[in-house]
Structures are given as C-alpha cells and as structure tokens.
C-alpha cells in the first residue's frame, strides 16, 4: 500500500497520560498536514510541515500538543496530559507542492483517540 | 481567515435523482476547491477538485461549478446510486496553505 498510513489506528488512554501518533506520508510528498475530526464535523486543521519545517500551527493547538517531522519523512503528533476533550479522530494528510500547482491532499485512515 | 459554509447538512434523494451540495467561502484569495467523500469509519477520499481559473469541471456523474464573484461552489451528482451515500466535505485553500473544510453534508440515497 503506497498511500498515507497512520499508527496506531485506535488509542484508548486515561486522562493525564501522554500519547504519540505516527504518520507515514506518500513517499515523494513534501507536505504533511495534521487535522482533528470530531463526530459530525469536518476535519479541523492543526499544523503542517514542508519537508522538516513546521510552517504553521493552528491557534487550536494548545501547548500540550507538539508535532515533529525530523527527517522530512514520517511525522509524530504528541499530546501531553490528555484531557477528555482531546477525544477525536486525528487525521494525517500529505501532498506534493510544486510551483503554483494545487497540492492535492491525500488522507490517512486516522488514529481514533479515546480519553477516559 | 478563511471560513467555509456548506448546505444542506443532510440530503436525502431517491436513487437515480440528482443531488446538489453548495459551499460558500470568505477569502477571495482562495484558489483551490476540493471535494471529499467520507464513508463511515473511513478516510476522506478526494472525488473532484477545481481551481479558480476554471468555472466547471466534470468527471462522469460528478461535476463541480465555481462562481468566484459570488464566492460559492457546488457539487453535482447525477443518477445517484446507493453507494453514493456518505458524508461529503468541501474545502477551500490558497496554493500551499492548509485546507479549511466545510461542516459536511450527509447524503442518503434511498433505493
């Protein structure tokens, strides 16, 4: 499968614990995006990278959230001191930005986080 | 920042009829408008997209129209089939910027 992959697919944790998710983008893609999706809503932008540089973070992203893409390939999203409001589907997407061509984003299957 | 509205939130049509979903956006600099289909428990899948230099694009039973002046774009599905039942999301972006998604439309195609 050469699409975007995410691990784990499901994560159940207790409030206050830290969790880390991984995203492996399509191999030639230089852009990687993280979104959060709650039931009945559209994906909500969190942050994105171009290669290893984190270019933008949403104001929704509290200081408990951190994301990295150390070698410009896979990315990790860590949530520290989880809260019940963090329960959601965390989606990763990747794209290839070149010139002024639209960088069509392709989504991974998501990681569903449940905070008890 | 960009704001995307989408209507209707739910839509039921009889199999074989057409379905139309409309989105409006606020940022006149947005130049790329994709549509995604998301089935229950699955990832969003791109079904069609349009750039701001084009007014209409068609792919078999699916078409998208864009009115830059009014800042709205629409998804048209003709000859609907039960497998078209899903949640559809529109999005707007500028080249190289993050997507802003609409809240989604739940389409049900009744046999």
């Amino acid at each position: 499968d050469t699409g975007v992959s995410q691990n784990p697919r499901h994560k159940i944790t207790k409030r206050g614990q830290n969790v880390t998710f991984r995203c492996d983008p399509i191999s030639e893609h230089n852009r990687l995006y993280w979104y959060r999706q709650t039931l009945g809503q559209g994906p909500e932008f969190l942050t994105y990278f171009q290669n290893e540089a984190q270019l933008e973070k949403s104001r929704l992203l509290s200081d408990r959230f951190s994301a990295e893409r150390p070698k410009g390939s896979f990315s990790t999203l860590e949530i520290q001191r989880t809260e019940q409001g963090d329960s959601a589907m965390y989606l990763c997407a990747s794209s290839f930005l070149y010139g002024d061509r639209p960088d069509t984003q392709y989504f991974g299957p998501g990681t569903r986080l449940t905070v008890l | 920042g960009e704001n995307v509205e989408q209507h209707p939130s739910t839509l039921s049509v009889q199999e074989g009829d057409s379905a139309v979903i409309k989105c409006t956006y606020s940022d006149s600099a947005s130049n790329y408008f994709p549509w995604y289909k998301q089935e229950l428990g699955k990832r969003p899948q791109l079904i069609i997209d349009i750039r701001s230099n084009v007014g209409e694009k068609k792919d078999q039973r699916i078409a998208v129209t864009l009115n830059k002046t009014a800042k709205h774009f629409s998804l048209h599905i003709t000859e609907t089939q039960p497998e078209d039942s899903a949640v559809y999301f529109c999005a707007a972006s500028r080249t190289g910027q993050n997507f802003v998604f609409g809240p989604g439309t739940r389409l049900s195609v009744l046999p």
Side-chain angles (χ1 to χ4, degrees), chain B residues 1-66:
Chain B
E2 175 67 276
N3 181 54
V4 177
E5 297 184 352
Q6 184 171 348
H7 299 279
S9 57
T10 60
L11 178 60
S12 293
V13 299
Q14 290 294 136
E15 183 177 356
D17 287 351
S18 295
V20 180
I21 303 170
K22 296 183 178 179
C23 287
T24 60
Y25 61 100
S26 60
D27 185 354
S28 57
S30 289
N31 60 1
Y32 178 60
F33 308 93
W35 284 89
Y36 286 83
K37 174 184 179 182
Q38 188 174 31
E39 296 175 75
L40 189 63
K42 296 191 175 180
R43 72 186 77 191
Q45 296 268 17
L46 178 74
I47 55 170
I48 196 166
D49 56 10
I50 192 167
R51 298 187 70 179
S52 59
N53 59 350
V54 175
E56 183 174 359
K57 183 177 178 181
K58 189 173 181 181
D59 182 4
Q60 299 182 341
R61 297 186 297 109
I62 295 173
V64 56
T65 57
L66 171 66

Side-chain angles (χ1 to χ4, degrees), chain A residues 31 37 100 104-105 107-108, chain B residues 32 36 38 43 51 89 96:
Chain A
R31 285 268 175 127
Q37 186 177 29
D100 66 347
T104 302
Q105 295 183 24
F107 282 86
Chain B
Y32 178 60
Y36 286 83
Q38 188 174 31
R43 72 186 77 191
R51 298 187 70 179
F89 294 100

Side-chain angles (χ1 to χ4, degrees), chain A residues 98-114:
Chain A
Y98 179 77
D100 66 347
R101 293 172 55 189
D103 56 335
T104 302
Q105 295 183 24
Y106 297 90
F107 282 86
T111 294
R112 181 167 297 283
L113 173 66
T114 302

Side-chain angles (χ1 to χ4, degrees), chain A:
Chain A
D1 185 356
T2 57
V4 180
S5 62
Q6 292 186 246
N7 287 289
R9 297 290 308 277
H10 304 272
K11 179 70 177 179
I12 300 174
T13 191
K14 293 183 179 179
R15 185 164 51 96
Q17 298 295 305
N18 299 343
V19 293
T20 299
F21 311 141
R22 176 178 170 129
C23 171
D24 287 89
I26 294 171
S27 60
E28 64 269 24
H29 283 185
N30 55 7
R31 285 268 175 127
L32 188 149
Y33 298 77
W34 285 99
Y35 293 88
R36 179 170 61 192
Q37 186 177 29
T38 53
L39 199 62
Q41 299 296 317
E44 201 171 38
F45 169 73
L46 294 178
T47 187
Y48 79 89
F49 294 83
Q50 178 153 329
N51 300 313
E52 65 274 10
Q54 188 173 17
L55 296 187
E56 187 177 347
K57 290 173 62 172
S58 166
R59 286 169 290 177
L60 299 171
L61 212 63
S62 79
D63 56 6
R64 297 185 297 106
F65 288 70
S66 62
E68 294 182 341
R69 194 183 183 199
K71 297 182 180 178
S73 56
F74 73 91
S75 175
T76 57
L77 177 68
E78 181 183 17
I79 309 174
Q80 295 182 326
R81 304 181 303 280
T82 52
E83 302 173 356
Q84 287 183 324
D86 296 331
S87 295
M89 176 74 85
Y90 289 84
L91 291 165
C92 174
S94 71
S95 70
F96 182 70
L97 180 66
Y98 179 77
D100 66 347
R101 293 172 55 189
D103 56 335
T104 302
Q105 295 183 24
Y106 297 90
F107 282 86
T111 294
R112 181 167 297 283
L113 173 66
T114 302
V115 181
L116 302 176

